[in-house]
Amino acid sequence: MFSYQMITDKEKALVICKGDIDIDASEIIEEDIQPAVSGHESVIFDFEKIYFVDSSGIGLMIKLVNDLQKEGRKVRIERIRPEVMEVFELLQMDEILGKETFE
Amino acid sequence: MSILIVDDSNFNLLYIRNVLVGAGYNNIQTVSSAHEAFKILGIADGNVPRRPAPVALILLDIEMPEMDGIAACKIIKEHPIYSDLPVIFLTGKRGHLKEAFNAGGTDFIERGRPEYELLARVKSALHLKRETDIRKNRENRLRKELQLAKHLQKSVLSSPIDDRNLQINAKYIQSEEVSGDMFFWTRIDDQKYGVLLMDVSGHGLSSALISMSVRSLLEEVIVRLVEPSLVCEELNKLLLNLFKNSKHTVYFTAIYLLIDYHANLIEYFNAGHPPGVIFTNEGEPFHLEVTTIPIGIKKEINSAKKSWLIQKPSKVLLYTDGLVEIPGSSIKQGILQLEEHAMAVQNLPNARFLDEIEGFVTHNRDDVCIISVHLKSREP
């Protein structure tokens, strides 16, 4: 199960994510999160409560972050758990999304 | 499909039949005992039919001589082919209703109630049965389709190679009917071999479609370009082009080896794939670490040139992440455990070695593909 909470001010959107990011998360990410954050200059995803990301989930994240970056938004993913970080490292996510996404 | 009425009273049989005919139902069978009903269903005398009889609904009297309706219903429901067949009990009193429902009845009709009640219950039971039949047929068709797809997918996998240089074997374990894992190998000339293992993102049908479309291009790409960096760039270009109209990110991780006995080298690229491992008889295993991002994500893909000086005899183990990925635990941990396990059995013959590695699969959440290349020491 994947769920999220969003805290916003004028410039920033903080998206606190929870659960697993896999194929079941696609509707929430594409239809809820993406439109909700796209008006903000900077978007931060808090991954402290994301325990598992599979290859479909990686695909969803790549698309979401890439689309936001194309609109000129600054995107960061923070507080990634070590077991999720391993998957990100294996797939070279810093290379794909830019190192600044993970700083 | 007929409605079967079972009642020992001729008067009741006629009455119910007339009500149903009056409402436009015309395919009605009437029998006066449980045994005759069993004959129609093909289950008399302990017979187990392969297919259900064309009965859509049974109206079953509870109180009958020889065998009562509740016992009859239990026997009918012991046959899995009749698990969805609705049975409506006919009863004069409500005393037996609990047992009747426990026996697998779906509804009941009290004698002496108005006709519209009987008709409403019959109509709703028939409707539910029709819906269930449609759904089950669709599921059966899909299952058969998937089994065929699974068979087709397996049929395009490369056959083992066993020649004077090396031996290549693989295991292909599908978690669902079809998968996004795929491998391919070929002899490029008498001293060169190309071996590729890929894992398409996602699971099931959509991943299988992607892997099959890539599979159809692989042989041409590998035989024409040979070099890892060129193969990598070409596959990336092809995939981006193939799925340029998809609104989803389509990508795969892959590891490709060019085994060159002439130069005594293995050159490789690893696009976001778990590291392959080479076991020799001396020292630590060598890792075929990641050299570039997965294929199909970005236009630019640069694979650093990496190689390993061939030592013989040795075994090269390639696998997809399903082998080492245990949800909630670390992939690195999984890889370490796999290595320990593999080192202990590295000197087994290639096929037996693979059997041992397959034993490492603890769960079946994901597809798993394992390749072992045994590099033989040449006889002088």
Side-chain angles (χ1 to χ4, degrees), chain B residues 112-223:
Chain B
R113 302 290 299 170
E115 283 175 19
Y116 65 78
E117 203 171 299
L118 167 83
L119 290 172
R121 288 172 192 263
V122 165
K123 188 177 169 185
S124 103
L126 287 173
H127 175 75
L128 190 64
K129 173 77 165 79
R130 227 182 352 258
E131 291 289 309
T132 309
D133 284 350
I134 290 170
R135 190 176 49 79
K136 286 219 159 167
N137 282 335
R138 195 182 300 136
E139 280 171 10
N140 274 333
R141 225 182 19 248
L142 272 177
R143 205 177 37 243
K144 281 182 186 149
E145 288 272 352
L146 281 171
Q147 278 169 344
L148 179 63
K150 183 176 183 170
H151 170 79
L152 284 172
Q153 202 176 17
K154 278 198 152 170
S155 71
V156 302
L157 297 170
S158 307
S159 310
I161 291 184
D162 187 0
D163 63 17
R164 62 197 186 109
N165 291 325
L166 49 71
Q167 192 180 357
I168 310 180
N169 303 82
K171 290 264 180 195
Y172 188 65
I173 307 153
Q174 291 155 308
S175 66
E176 300 181 40
E177 281 75 2
V178 286
S179 87
D181 290 6
M182 175 67 67
F183 58 77
F184 173 79
W185 54 71
T186 184
R187 267 177 71 149
I188 295 164
D189 63 30
D190 68 338
Q191 298 290 7
K192 281 186 188 163
Y193 305 79
V195 180
L196 183 129
L197 172 61
M198 60 185 274
D199 179 356
V200 177
S201 66
H203 300 284
L205 265 178
S206 54
S207 310
L209 282 175
I210 295 161
S211 82
M212 287 299 269
S213 51
V214 172
R215 170 63 183 80
S216 63
L217 309 164
L218 273 181
E219 186 156 16
E220 190 276 335
V221 169
I222 288 174
V223 171

Side-chain angles (χ1 to χ4, degrees), chain A:
Chain A
M1 266 306 287
F2 173 78
S3 62
Y4 74 99
Q5 270 183 302
M6 213 166 99
I7 302 165
T8 55
D9 62 24
K10 258 211 191 75
E11 276 98 48
K12 272 208 303 280
L14 170 64
V15 185
I16 301 163
C17 304
K18 194 174 168 194
D20 295 344
I21 304 185
D22 54 19
I23 196 76
D24 298 333
S26 52
E27 269 174 43
I28 297 181
I29 289 177
E30 289 165 351
E31 292 166 24
D32 302 351
I33 295 184
Q34 184 147 359
V37 297
S38 70
H40 299 270
E41 279 312 300
S42 122
V43 183
I44 298 164
F45 294 97
D46 183 319
F47 266 33
E48 198 206 3
K49 289 202 158 52
I50 294 293
Y51 298 94
F52 176 71
V53 181
D54 75 355
S55 56
S56 311
I58 295 272
L60 289 168
M61 286 311 296
I62 291 173
K63 184 161 187 327
L64 175 63
V65 176
N66 273 342
D67 287 354
L68 291 169
Q69 286 171 337
K70 271 183 209 146
E71 292 170 11
R73 313 291 174 208
K74 275 179 55 184
V75 184
R76 283 221 314 277
I77 305 175
E78 290 182 350
R79 302 210 291 170
I80 302 167
R81 303 186 78 85
E83 61 268 27
V84 172
M85 202 61 197
E86 277 183 11
V87 178
F88 279 19
E89 280 169 1
L90 195 59
L91 292 165
Q92 322 264 300
M93 286 292 268
D94 58 350
E95 186 83 23
I96 296 168
L97 302 178
K99 288 188 172 54
E100 65 281 2
T101 308
F102 299 96
E103 276 157 6

Side-chain angles (χ1 to χ4, degrees), chain B residues 7-22:
Chain B
D7 198 320
D8 60 316
S9 143
N10 269 332
F11 175 82
N12 289 342
L13 283 181
L14 270 174
Y15 168 74
I16 296 171
R17 177 189 203 116
N18 285 338
V19 172
L20 292 175
V21 169

